[in-house]
Amino acid sequence: MRPRVWAPAAHDVELDLPDTHRREPLHRTQHGWWEADLDLPEGTRYGYAVDGAPPHPDPRAEHLPDGVHAAAAAFDATTFPWTDQDWPGRDVRGGVLYELHVGTFTPEGTLDAATTHLGELVALGVDVVELLPVAPFNGAHGWGYDGVSLYAVHEPYGGPRALQRFVDAAHRHGLAVCLDVVHNHLGPSGNYLAPFGPYLTPAHQTPWGSAVNLDQDGAHEVRRWVVDSALRWFRDFHVDALRLDAVHALVDGSARHLLGQLSDEVAALAGSLGRPLSLVAESDLNDPVAVLPTVDGGWGMTAQWADDVHHAVHALVTGERHGYYVDFGSPEVLRTAFTQVFVHAGSWSTFRGRPWGTPVPPGTDGHRFVVFASNHDQVGNRALGDRPAARLDDGALAAEAALVLLSPFTPMLFMGEEWGARTPWLFFTDHPEPDLAEAVRSGRRGEFGDHGWVELYGGDVVAPDPQDPATFAASVLDRAERDENRSARLLDWYRDLVALRRAIPDLASGDLGATDVHFEPDVDVEAGGSGPETSPGRDGARGWRGWLVVERGPARVVVNLADEPRRVPLRAVGPLTVRAAWSDVELEHPGDDEGPTHAVVPGRSVVVLA
C-alpha cells in the first residue's frame, strides 16, 4: 500500500508507524494530496500526523483492526481468491430483499456466522441480502449508523476479509448482496476528519450537526471521498447494490447533485464489470426525483424506499394511529399507496404540519419502490422494539405478508419476520464514554414524546436503556422459535407467497396501472355487518366492513381483517382458482364456464386467487 492522504491546509504531514516507533515525512503533490515514497506491507499499522499533532487513522482506512481510535492497518482488497467468476449479477428491482443486522442475526454476531444461514434465505426465496451498515464504530454493539469510516468493516463482525467471504458465499448460493452505507453524517466517537480537511461544513446543518461538505470549498475531494468509497464496494468487494441512508440529509447546492454524480459513475462501472449494479435511496422527501434519470435532472437511483406504503399497510392491519400514522389506516389510503406510491404527494401531512411530497409520474415502474411490513427503523424506533408479531394474531400477520409480497413494488423482509419472530429489536449502543452514553440515553427518552408512544403503550412505558448489555442481548434472533408450530406455518406461508410471486406474472408485475384496491363501506346487511361506526375486527379501521381485494391484473389478493367471515365480491373476469389461503375459503360460481363471483373468507384470513 502506498501511503497517500488529502490534507489541503497542512504545512507538513508525517506517516506514523507505531510498530517501529518511527515517522516518515510525506511530500505534497497536486490538489492538497500528500504521499510517501514507500510501500506498506499488508497488516502494517499506520496513521498520519498533521502539523505535528498526534497521529490519526487514515480517512480512507480500509482496515481498523484495533478500533476507531487506533492506527489503521494496510490492506489489499484485490488479493482475495474470489470464486464468483460466473455470477451474472442481479438488479434489485422486483426481487425479494431481506434486511439483516450482522450483530443480532446470529448469537455469534459475525459475518462468517451469518454465512451459515444463507441456505435458509434461498429456501425462503430471497433474491437480495441487505446488510445493515458494517462501517466501524466505537464499541462492539450498535446499529451501525454511527460509523466513522466509509472504507472499512467493523472488526467485531470479522473485518474486511469476512465481508468478502460473505459476498462470495452469497453469490455461490445465487444471492445478491446489498450493503447499507451512510454518507450523510459520521458518528460522534472516532471521527478524526477535521485535522485533515473540510470534510464537514457548518454552512449546512443536519439532525447530526454540520453536514458533509458537498458544495463548499474543498467539496470536490470530499465528493470523491464519498463516490470512491461506493465504487470500491462494487469493484473490490463484489457487492451488487448499495442502500444509501437518509439521502435527504445530503445537502448539496451544486449544479450536479452528488447522487447524480454517483449514479453516473456507478453506471459506468457496471458497464465495465458487465453486471448490474444498483443504488437504493432512503428518502423522506416523497419525491420521485430520486429515481428520475440524471439526463432529466433526477438523481438516477435504481430504486427508493417508500415509507408511505409501510404506513398504509401497518396502520390498516394494526389500527395504530399515533405519531406519523395519523393520516393512515383506511382502505382508501391503502388504495392511494398501492396505485400512486406516495400518500402525501402535495397533500397536507398532519404529522409534519405542512403540505408534503410530489406525485409519481404516470407509468413509473412500481419496482422502483422498496416496501416492507417491518424494517430496522419501523421496529427498532418503537419504544419497546416490538415487532408486529408481538401484537397481531397469525391471520393478521399472514394478511400483512400478502399485502407486501404481492404488491406492485419491490418487497423487503426484516430478519425473523418470516417466522413471526417475537424477539424485540431494540435501539442499542455500546459507547464506552460515560458522557456520550448518557447523552444517548437522554436523547432516546426525548424522542418518545414526539411519536405518540405514551398513547400506544400507556403512561408507564419505560424504554430499555440502550447502553444496557441486556438490551442488545434481547434483540438477538431466537431461531428456536422456528420449530414452533405457529412459526413453521407462517414460514411456509411466506415461502408460498414468494413462490407465487415468481410463478405468476400478474403478482410479480410492477404495473401500478394494473393495480387497484376494492372494498365497500360498512352498510349493514351482509353476514356479520352492522352500522357504519362498527369496527371490522379487533385491530381494524372503522367505517368499512373489514375486507378488501387487491386487484393485480386478473389476480386477486383477498384480505379479511374482520373477526367474522365475509362474502367478498371479486369483480373478476374469467376463471380464478385458489393459489394460497391462510384458512379454508369457499368460492361461489355462477356457472361451470364462468369465474367465481364471490369468495367467502373466514375472519382474520387472506386468500390469493389467480
Side-chain angles (χ1 to χ4, degrees):
M1 183 201 108
R2 180 62 60 96
R4 186 170 183 265
V5 67
W6 182 62
H11 296 290
D12 65 80
V13 179
E14 292 180 298
L15 172 69
D16 184 78
L17 301 169
D19 290 343
T20 58
H21 304 288
R22 66 188 178 97
R23 288 189 176 184
E24 297 287 341
L26 276 67
H27 60 271
R28 182 188 289 272
T29 63
Q30 293 181 329
H31 310 301
W33 284 87
W34 298 73
E35 296 181 358
D37 295 326
L38 54 87
D39 289 313
L40 299 181
E42 179 141 353
T44 302
R45 302 305 200 261
Y46 75 99
Y48 295 117
V50 177
D51 293 335
H56 295 303
D58 184 355
R60 292 183 176 229
E62 299 183 38
H63 192 190
L64 293 171
D66 304 313
V68 299
H69 298 296
F75 178 79
D76 185 355
T78 66
T79 61
F80 183 78
W82 293 97
T83 65
D84 66 348
Q85 290 80 8
D86 295 329
W87 171 247
R90 214 272 185 217
D91 191 303
V92 301
R93 287 173 290 189
V96 176
L97 280 59
Y98 188 94
E99 185 185 47
L100 69 86
H101 174 262
V102 174
T104 53
F105 186 60
T106 66
E108 299 85 353
T110 66
L111 286 156
D112 287 337
T115 300
T116 66
H117 295 282
L118 292 176
E120 299 169 8
L121 305 187
V122 174
L124 177 59
V126 169
D127 298 300
V128 183
V129 181
E130 180 172 320
L131 301 177
L132 265 67
V134 299
F137 54 88
N138 199 24
H141 309 306
W143 282 18
Y145 294 93
D146 280 341
V148 294
S149 174
L150 269 59
Y151 289 72
V153 177
H154 195 46
E155 194 65 15
Y157 293 166
R161 290 293 181 215
L163 179 59
Q164 290 179 316
R165 290 193 296 270
F166 180 88
V167 175
D168 199 42
H171 288 171
R172 287 198 302 272
H173 281 82
L175 295 167
V177 177
C178 176
L179 187 62
D180 193 337
V181 293
V182 183
H183 297 150
N184 53 59
H185 75 287
L186 287 96
S189 180
N191 171 13
Y192 295 109
L193 293 176
F196 292 98
Y199 284 89
L200 303 177
T201 173
H204 306 301
Q205 293 296 309
T206 75
W208 306 280
S210 294
V212 174
N213 177 19
L214 303 178
D215 58 6
Q216 305 295 307
D217 289 345
H220 173 77
E221 292 297 342
V222 177
R223 293 165 75 99
R224 285 258 49 97
W225 172 69
V226 173
V227 173
D228 289 348
S229 73
L231 298 177
R232 176 176 176 272
W233 297 122
F234 289 124
R235 183 188 61 244
D236 298 339
F237 286 76
H238 293 202
V239 302
D240 303 279
L242 297 178
R243 182 265 189 187
L244 311 178
D245 180 65
V247 298
H248 50 270
L250 294 170
V251 186
D252 187 1
S254 305
R256 187 188 190 197
H257 195 282
L258 172 76
L259 295 180
Q261 176 185 348
L262 177 60
S263 293
D264 288 342
E265 294 199 32
V266 168
L269 180 61
S272 174
L273 296 177
R275 60 184 175 92
L277 305 175
S278 299
L279 294 170
V280 182
E282 181 202 22
S283 173
D284 185 47
L285 301 177
N286 278 24
D287 193 331
V289 67
V291 295
L292 293 179
T294 57
V295 294
D296 296 330
W299 297 343
M301 299 286 102
T302 312
Q304 71 178 101
W305 280 25
D307 280 347
D308 278 15
V309 176
H310 165 269
H311 299 349
V313 172
H314 181 88
L316 181 87
V317 176
T318 65
E320 293 182 7
R321 303 291 184 276
H322 65 281
Y324 48 68
Y325 296 127
V326 63
D327 292 333
F328 298 84
S330 71
E332 292 92 344
V333 167
L334 186 75
R335 174 193 282 162
T336 300
F338 270 42
T339 58
Q340 301 175 39
V341 187
F342 299 143
V343 172
H344 294 304
S347 61
W348 182 262
S349 168
T350 304
F351 178 70
R352 297 179 178 93
R354 55 174 164 159
W356 197 256
T358 303
V360 171
T364 301
D365 182 6
H367 289 164
R368 286 189 171 274
F369 301 94
V370 176
V371 304
F372 29 80
S374 295
N375 66 28
H376 72 278
D377 273 332
Q378 301 304 335
V379 174
N381 282 328
R382 295 170 69 87
L384 301 182
D386 48 317
R387 298 166 177 262
R391 304 175 69 85
L392 295 176
D393 58 81
D394 291 351
L397 293 175
E400 195 176 53
L403 289 172
V404 170
L405 285 168
L406 304 182
S407 71
F409 308 110
T410 294
M412 185 179 77
L413 309 178
F414 182 54
M415 60 178 191
E417 171 191 342
E418 68 273 22
W419 72 76
R422 294 182 297 282
T423 49
W425 203 73
L426 295 152
F427 180 69
F428 48 85
T429 54
D430 185 34
H431 297 299
E433 304 93 339
D435 290 347
L436 180 55
E438 184 54 37
V440 169
R441 289 190 187 100
S442 300
R444 195 66 178 171
R445 288 193 296 266
E447 290 179 8
F448 297 139
D450 297 331
H451 289 82
W453 299 122
V454 172
E455 174 188 340
L456 178 65
Y457 297 114
D460 57 349
V461 60
V462 177
D465 177 0
Q467 284 284 124
D468 187 342
T471 302
F472 165 75
S475 302
V476 177
L477 279 178
D478 178 8
R479 280 190 165 72
E481 291 181 337
R482 289 166 52 99
D483 299 327
E484 300 173 6
N485 288 337
R486 65 169 295 275
S487 296
R489 183 187 180 199
L490 196 61
L491 180 57
D492 285 343
W493 176 250
Y494 270 81
R495 289 171 175 164
D496 289 346
L497 294 178
V498 174
L500 285 177
R501 181 181 178 89
R502 287 181 168 177
I504 300 173
D506 291 317
L507 295 175
S509 168
D511 186 355
L512 299 176
T515 301
D516 197 6
V517 177
H518 171 55
F519 58 93
E520 290 180 0
D522 191 359
V523 289
D524 72 274
V525 257
E526 296 292 346
S530 55
E533 295 304 316
T534 301
S535 170
R538 67 203 82 173
D539 294 309
R542 293 181 178 272
W544 63 297
R545 301 194 56 237
W547 63 261
L548 58 83
V549 182
V550 179
E551 300 175 349
R552 303 277 282 119
R556 300 289 184 266
V557 180
V558 186
V559 172
N560 181 16
L561 294 177
D563 289 331
E564 304 83 13
R566 290 288 192 254
R567 182 172 176 264
V568 179
L570 296 175
R571 301 200 311 186
V573 177
L576 288 173
T577 59
V578 175
R579 303 302 297 269
W582 184 251
S583 306
D584 290 341
V585 63
E586 177 186 348
L587 298 184
E588 296 180 357
H589 293 78
D592 294 338
D593 298 328
E594 298 186 41
T597 58
H598 291 79
V600 181
V601 183
R604 314 298 286 178
S605 190
V606 56
V607 59
V608 183
L609 307 169

Short mmCIF file of all heavy atoms in Angstrom, two decimals, residues 12-53:
data_model
loop_
_atom_site.label_atom_id
_atom_site.label_comp_id
_atom_site.label_asym_id
_atom_site.label_seq_id
_atom_site.Cartn_x
_atom_site.Cartn_y
_atom_site.Cartn_z
N ASP A 12 2.81 20.40 6.98
CA ASP A 12 3.57 19.16 6.83
C ASP A 12 2.72 18.00 7.33
O ASP A 12 1.86 18.16 8.21
CB ASP A 12 4.91 19.22 7.58
CG ASP A 12 4.73 19.33 9.08
OD1 ASP A 12 4.48 18.30 9.74
OD2 ASP A 12 4.82 20.47 9.60
N VAL A 13 2.96 16.83 6.76
CA VAL A 13 2.24 15.61 7.13
C VAL A 13 3.27 14.49 7.26
O VAL A 13 4.15 14.34 6.40
CB VAL A 13 1.18 15.22 6.09
CG1 VAL A 13 0.47 13.93 6.51
CG2 VAL A 13 0.17 16.36 5.90
N GLU A 14 3.17 13.74 8.34
CA GLU A 14 4.08 12.62 8.57
C GLU A 14 3.31 11.32 8.64
O GLU A 14 2.19 11.26 9.16
CB GLU A 14 4.85 12.83 9.87
CG GLU A 14 5.83 13.99 9.85
CD GLU A 14 6.54 14.12 11.19
OE1 GLU A 14 5.83 14.38 12.19
OE2 GLU A 14 7.77 13.96 11.22
N LEU A 15 3.93 10.28 8.12
CA LEU A 15 3.42 8.92 8.25
C LEU A 15 3.91 8.36 9.58
O LEU A 15 5.12 8.30 9.82
CB LEU A 15 3.92 8.06 7.09
CG LEU A 15 3.61 6.56 7.17
CD1 LEU A 15 2.12 6.31 7.02
CD2 LEU A 15 4.40 5.80 6.11
N ASP A 16 2.99 8.00 10.45
CA ASP A 16 3.33 7.45 11.76
C ASP A 16 3.25 5.93 11.71
O ASP A 16 2.21 5.37 11.30
CB ASP A 16 2.39 7.99 12.83
CG ASP A 16 2.76 7.51 14.21
OD1 ASP A 16 3.72 8.07 14.79
OD2 ASP A 16 2.11 6.58 14.71
N LEU A 17 4.33 5.25 12.11
CA LEU A 17 4.40 3.79 12.10
C LEU A 17 4.61 3.30 13.53
O LEU A 17 5.76 3.18 13.99
CB LEU A 17 5.53 3.32 11.18
CG LEU A 17 5.42 3.77 9.73
CD1 LEU A 17 6.71 3.50 8.97
CD2 LEU A 17 4.24 3.06 9.05
N PRO A 18 3.53 3.07 14.28
CA PRO A 18 3.66 2.80 15.71
C PRO A 18 4.41 1.51 16.03
O PRO A 18 5.03 1.41 17.08
CB PRO A 18 2.21 2.74 16.19
CG PRO A 18 1.41 2.43 14.96
CD PRO A 18 2.12 3.08 13.84
N ASP A 19 4.36 0.52 15.15
CA ASP A 19 5.04 -0.75 15.45
C ASP A 19 6.55 -0.59 15.49
O ASP A 19 7.25 -1.34 16.19
CB ASP A 19 4.67 -1.81 14.41
CG ASP A 19 3.21 -2.25 14.54
OD1 ASP A 19 2.61 -1.99 15.60
OD2 ASP A 19 2.68 -2.83 13.58
N THR A 20 7.07 0.37 14.73
CA THR A 20 8.52 0.59 14.70
C THR A 20 8.92 1.92 15.35
O THR A 20 10.10 2.29 15.33
CB THR A 20 9.04 0.55 13.26
OG1 THR A 20 8.35 1.55 12.49
CG2 THR A 20 8.81 -0.81 12.64
N HIS A 21 7.92 2.62 15.90
CA HIS A 21 8.16 3.88 16.61
C HIS A 21 8.93 4.89 15.74
O HIS A 21 9.88 5.53 16.19
CB HIS A 21 8.92 3.63 17.92
CG HIS A 21 8.26 2.65 18.83
ND1 HIS A 21 7.12 2.93 19.53
CD2 HIS A 21 8.58 1.35 19.12
CE1 HIS A 21 6.76 1.88 20.23
NE2 HIS A 21 7.62 0.90 20.01
N ARG A 22 8.52 5.01 14.50
CA ARG A 22 9.18 5.99 13.64
C ARG A 22 8.15 6.74 12.79
O ARG A 22 7.01 6.29 12.66
CB ARG A 22 10.22 5.32 12.73
CG ARG A 22 9.67 4.37 11.70
CD ARG A 22 10.80 3.62 11.00
NE ARG A 22 10.28 2.65 10.04
CZ ARG A 22 10.17 2.89 8.73
NH1 ARG A 22 10.53 4.07 8.25
NH2 ARG A 22 9.69 1.96 7.92
N ARG A 23 8.60 7.86 12.26
CA ARG A 23 7.76 8.67 11.38
C ARG A 23 8.53 8.96 10.09
O ARG A 23 9.76 9.15 10.12
CB ARG A 23 7.34 9.97 12.04
CG ARG A 23 6.31 9.78 13.15
CD ARG A 23 5.76 11.10 13.64
NE ARG A 23 4.71 10.91 14.64
CZ ARG A 23 4.00 11.89 15.18
NH1 ARG A 23 4.25 13.16 14.82
NH2 ARG A 23 3.07 11.64 16.06
N GLU A 24 7.77 9.02 9.00
CA GLU A 24 8.35 9.33 7.71
C GLU A 24 7.62 10.54 7.13
O GLU A 24 6.38 10.59 7.16
CB GLU A 24 8.21 8.14 6.75
CG GLU A 24 8.94 6.89 7.17
CD GLU A 24 10.44 7.02 7.00
OE1 GLU A 24 10.88 7.93 6.24
OE2 GLU A 24 11.18 6.24 7.63
N PRO A 25 8.35 11.52 6.62
CA PRO A 25 7.67 12.68 6.04
C PRO A 25 7.00 12.33 4.72
O PRO A 25 7.49 11.50 3.95
CB PRO A 25 8.81 13.68 5.83
CG PRO A 25 10.03 12.81 5.67
CD PRO A 25 9.82 11.63 6.57
N LEU A 26 5.87 12.96 4.46
CA LEU A 26 5.19 12.86 3.16
C LEU A 26 5.48 14.13 2.38
O LEU A 26 5.74 15.19 2.98
CB LEU A 26 3.68 12.68 3.34
CG LEU A 26 3.15 11.26 3.59
CD1 LEU A 26 3.62 10.75 4.96
CD2 LEU A 26 1.62 11.22 3.50
N HIS A 27 5.45 14.06 1.07
CA HIS A 27 5.65 15.25 0.26
C HIS A 27 4.34 15.64 -0.41
O HIS A 27 3.53 14.80 -0.78
CB HIS A 27 6.76 15.03 -0.77
CG HIS A 27 6.49 13.92 -1.73
ND1 HIS A 27 6.87 12.61 -1.48
CD2 HIS A 27 5.87 13.91 -2.95
CE1 HIS A 27 6.51 11.85 -2.49
NE2 HIS A 27 5.90 12.60 -3.39
N ARG A 28 4.16 16.94 -0.56
CA ARG A 28 2.94 17.47 -1.14
C ARG A 28 2.93 17.24 -2.65
O ARG A 28 3.94 17.43 -3.33
CB ARG A 28 2.79 18.96 -0.85
CG ARG A 28 1.49 19.58 -1.39
CD ARG A 28 1.51 21.10 -1.24
NE ARG A 28 1.38 21.51 0.15
CZ ARG A 28 0.21 21.70 0.75
NH1 ARG A 28 -0.92 21.51 0.09
NH2 ARG A 28 0.17 22.11 2.00
N THR A 29 1.77 16.82 -3.16
CA THR A 29 1.57 16.71 -4.59
C THR A 29 0.46 17.67 -5.00
O THR A 29 0.25 18.69 -4.35
CB THR A 29 1.24 15.25 -4.98
OG1 THR A 29 0.00 14.86 -4.37
CG2 THR A 29 2.35 14.30 -4.54
N GLN A 30 -0.30 17.34 -6.02
CA GLN A 30 -1.32 18.27 -6.51
C GLN A 30 -2.60 18.20 -5.68
O GLN A 30 -2.92 17.17 -5.08
CB GLN A 30 -1.65 17.96 -7.97
CG GLN A 30 -0.50 18.23 -8.94
CD GLN A 30 -0.90 17.94 -10.37
OE1 GLN A 30 -1.71 17.07 -10.63
NE2 GLN A 30 -0.31 18.69 -11.30
N HIS A 31 -3.33 19.32 -5.69
CA HIS A 31 -4.70 19.39 -5.15
C HIS A 31 -4.79 19.04 -3.68
O HIS A 31 -5.80 18.50 -3.22
CB HIS A 31 -5.64 18.50 -5.96
CG HIS A 31 -5.56 18.71 -7.44
ND1 HIS A 31 -5.82 19.93 -8.03
CD2 HIS A 31 -5.21 17.86 -8.44
CE1 HIS A 31 -5.66 19.82 -9.33
NE2 HIS A 31 -5.29 18.59 -9.62
N GLY A 32 -3.72 19.32 -2.92
CA GLY A 32 -3.78 19.11 -1.49
C GLY A 32 -3.45 17.71 -1.02
O GLY A 32 -3.63 17.40 0.16
N TRP A 33 -2.95 16.87 -1.91
CA TRP A 33 -2.61 15.50 -1.54
C TRP A 33 -1.15 15.41 -1.11
O TRP A 33 -0.28 16.14 -1.61
CB TRP A 33 -2.86 14.55 -2.72
CG TRP A 33 -4.32 14.25 -2.91
CD1 TRP A 33 -5.22 14.97 -3.63
CD2 TRP A 33 -5.04 13.16 -2.34
NE1 TRP A 33 -6.46 14.40 -3.56
CE2 TRP A 33 -6.39 13.28 -2.77
CE3 TRP A 33 -4.70 12.10 -1.51
CZ2 TRP A 33 -7.38 12.37 -2.40
CZ3 TRP A 33 -5.68 11.19 -1.15
CH2 TRP A 33 -7.00 11.34 -1.58
N TRP A 34 -0.90 14.47 -0.20
CA TRP A 34 0.45 14.19 0.31
C TRP A 34 0.73 12.69 0.11
O TRP A 34 -0.16 11.85 0.30
CB TRP A 34 0.56 14.52 1.80
CG TRP A 34 0.33 15.97 2.12
CD1 TRP A 34 -0.86 16.65 2.10
CD2 TRP A 34 1.33 16.91 2.50
NE1 TRP A 34 -0.67 17.95 2.46
CE2 TRP A 34 0.66 18.16 2.71
CE3 TRP A 34 2.70 16.85 2.69
CZ2 TRP A 34 1.33 19.30 3.11
CZ3 TRP A 34 3.38 17.99 3.09
CH2 TRP A 34 2.70 19.21 3.29
N GLU A 35 1.98 12.36 -0.22
CA GLU A 35 2.34 10.97 -0.50
C GLU A 35 3.68 10.64 0.12
O GLU A 35 4.50 11.52 0.40
CB GLU A 35 2.41 10.71 -2.01
CG GLU A 35 1.08 10.87 -2.74
CD GLU A 35 1.20 10.58 -4.22
OE1 GLU A 35 2.33 10.30 -4.68
OE2 GLU A 35 0.17 10.64 -4.91
N ALA A 36 3.92 9.33 0.32
CA ALA A 36 5.21 8.83 0.77
C ALA A 36 5.77 7.87 -0.27
O ALA A 36 5.02 7.12 -0.91
CB ALA A 36 5.06 8.10 2.11
N ASP A 37 7.07 7.91 -0.45
CA ASP A 37 7.71 7.07 -1.46
C ASP A 37 8.12 5.74 -0.86
O ASP A 37 9.31 5.37 -0.78
CB ASP A 37 8.94 7.79 -2.04
CG ASP A 37 8.57 9.04 -2.80
OD1 ASP A 37 7.49 9.04 -3.44
OD2 ASP A 37 9.33 10.03 -2.73
N LEU A 38 7.13 4.99 -0.41
CA LEU A 38 7.40 3.65 0.12
C LEU A 38 6.09 2.86 0.07
O LEU A 38 5.01 3.43 -0.12
CB LEU A 38 7.95 3.72 1.55
CG LEU A 38 7.15 4.50 2.61
CD1 LEU A 38 6.09 3.62 3.27
CD2 LEU A 38 8.09 5.05 3.67
N ASP A 39 6.21 1.57 0.21
CA ASP A 39 5.04 0.68 0.23
C ASP A 39 4.95 0.02 1.59
O ASP A 39 5.97 -0.46 2.13
CB ASP A 39 5.15 -0.37 -0.87
CG ASP A 39 4.96 0.23 -2.26
OD1 ASP A 39 4.00 1.00 -2.42
OD2 ASP A 39 5.78 -0.06 -3.15
N LEU A 40 3.72 -0.06 2.12
CA LEU A 40 3.49 -0.71 3.40
C LEU A 40 2.99 -2.13 3.18
O LEU A 40 1.98 -2.33 2.48
CB LEU A 40 2.47 0.07 4.23
CG LEU A 40 2.82 1.52 4.60
CD1 LEU A 40 1.71 2.12 5.43
CD2 LEU A 40 4.16 1.58 5.34
N PRO A 41 3.66 -3.12 3.73
CA PRO A 41 3.15 -4.50 3.63
C PRO A 41 1.79 -4.62 4.31
O PRO A 41 1.47 -3.87 5.25
CB PRO A 41 4.21 -5.33 4.36
CG PRO A 41 5.44 -4.46 4.38
CD PRO A 41 4.94 -3.05 4.45
N GLU A 42 1.00 -5.58 3.85
CA GLU A 42 -0.33 -5.78 4.45
C GLU A 42 -0.21 -6.02 5.94
O GLU A 42 0.66 -6.76 6.41
CB GLU A 42 -1.04 -6.96 3.78
CG GLU A 42 -2.41 -7.24 4.36
CD GLU A 42 -3.43 -7.62 3.30
OE1 GLU A 42 -3.11 -7.54 2.11
OE2 GLU A 42 -4.56 -7.99 3.68
N GLY A 43 -1.10 -5.38 6.68
CA GLY A 43 -1.12 -5.52 8.13
C GLY A 43 -0.33 -4.49 8.88
O GLY A 43 -0.46 -4.37 10.11
N THR A 44 0.51 -3.72 8.17
CA THR A 44 1.32 -2.69 8.84
C THR A 44 0.42 -1.62 9.44
O THR A 44 -0.43 -1.04 8.77
CB THR A 44 2.28 -2.03 7.84
OG1 THR A 44 3.12 -3.03 7.25
CG2 THR A 44 3.14 -0.99 8.54
N ARG A 45 0.61 -1.34 10.73
CA ARG A 45 -0.16 -0.28 11.38
C ARG A 45 0.41 1.08 10.98
O ARG A 45 1.64 1.25 10.93
CB ARG A 45 -0.12 -0.42 12.90
CG ARG A 45 -0.64 -1.75 13.46
CD ARG A 45 -2.05 -2.09 13.00
NE ARG A 45 -2.70 -3.06 13.85
CZ ARG A 45 -2.79 -4.37 13.60
NH1 ARG A 45 -2.24 -4.86 12.49
NH2 ARG A 45 -3.43 -5.17 14.43
N TYR A 46 -0.51 2.03 10.73
CA TYR A 46 -0.03 3.35 10.32
C TYR A 46 -1.09 4.40 10.64
O TYR A 46 -2.28 4.10 10.83
CB TYR A 46 0.29 3.37 8.81
CG TYR A 46 -0.94 3.40 7.92
CD1 TYR A 46 -1.39 4.59 7.36
CD2 TYR A 46 -1.67 2.24 7.66
CE1 TYR A 46 -2.53 4.64 6.56
CE2 TYR A 46 -2.80 2.27 6.86
CZ TYR A 46 -3.23 3.46 6.31
OH TYR A 46 -4.35 3.49 5.52
N GLY A 47 -0.63 5.65 10.69
CA GLY A 47 -1.52 6.79 10.84
C GLY A 47 -0.83 8.00 10.24
O GLY A 47 0.30 7.93 9.76
N TYR A 48 -1.54 9.14 10.28
CA TYR A 48 -0.98 10.36 9.72
C TYR A 48 -1.01 11.45 10.79
O TYR A 48 -2.03 11.65 11.47
CB TYR A 48 -1.77 10.83 8.51
CG TYR A 48 -1.70 9.88 7.33
CD1 TYR A 48 -2.86 9.27 6.86
CD2 TYR A 48 -0.50 9.61 6.70
CE1 TYR A 48 -2.82 8.41 5.78
CE2 TYR A 48 -0.44 8.74 5.62
CZ TYR A 48 -1.60 8.14 5.16
OH TYR A 48 -1.56 7.28 4.09
N ALA A 49 0.12 12.16 10.93
CA ALA A 49 0.22 13.29 11.86
C ALA A 49 0.28 14.58 11.05
O ALA A 49 1.18 14.74 10.21
CB ALA A 49 1.45 13.15 12.74
N VAL A 50 -0.66 15.47 11.28
CA VAL A 50 -0.75 16.72 10.54
C VAL A 50 -0.19 17.86 11.39
O VAL A 50 -0.66 18.08 12.52
CB VAL A 50 -2.21 17.01 10.13
CG1 VAL A 50 -2.31 18.36 9.41
CG2 VAL A 50 -2.76 15.90 9.26
N ASP A 51 0.82 18.55 10.86
CA ASP A 51 1.42 19.72 11.52
C ASP A 51 1.83 19.43 12.96
O ASP A 51 1.58 20.22 13.89
CB ASP A 51 0.45 20.91 11.47
CG ASP A 51 0.24 21.41 10.05
OD1 ASP A 51 1.13 21.20 9.21
OD2 ASP A 51 -0.83 22.00 9.79
N GLY A 52 2.42 18.28 13.18
CA GLY A 52 2.95 17.93 14.49
C GLY A 52 1.94 17.46 15.50
O GLY A 52 2.30 17.16 16.64
N ALA A 53 0.67 17.37 15.12
CA ALA A 53 -0.37 16.91 16.04
C ALA A 53 -0.28 15.39 16.22
O ALA A 53 0.42 14.71 15.47
CB ALA A 53 -1.74 17.30 15.50
#
